[in-house]
Amino acid sequence: MNDKNIKLFENKRIRTAWNEEKQEWYFSVVDVVGVLTNSVNPTAYWRKLKQRLKEEGNETVTNCHSLKMIAPDGKMRLTDVADTKGILRIIQSIPSPKAEPFKIWLAKVGAERINEIIDPEVRPDRE
């Protein structure tokens, strides 16, 4: 996997993409679900959660987009992603003791990006 688009939360990989135009991060929903739930199959968990959220009329799922990201098998595959706001709303729907630490981690990722903008020398190369 290309580590430049990977962020670590408790030593677990979260695939990310930076949208230069919108100046915001996108996070792989399946990766976040996997970290929060420790599910053996985070894709199935997300599929079921997505179905439940749609039935409840929750617009969070509508605001998820699909981006091609490197899958564990090394191939580029479409993956549901959400911006920080969307990820925070998804976190609210998952009962997990890791929810609060994950929110703090998200804030840290955002702060690192702000520091990169202020001081371009700390900015890694982004595609």
Side-chain angles (χ1 to χ4, degrees), residues 1-7 13 16 70:
M1 278 192 182
N2 181 352
D3 285 343
K4 115 176 167 177
N5 292 324
I6 301 292
K7 303 288 182 204
R13 295 170 172 246
T16 65
I70 296 177

Side-chain angles (χ1 to χ4, degrees), residues 9 33 37 41-42 52 69 78 90 100 108 116:
F9 172 76
V33 166
T37 65
N41 189 343
R52 192 185 89 222
M69 294 184 143
L78 282 175
I90 290 167
E100 208 50 44
K108 182 181 171 211
E116 292 172 9

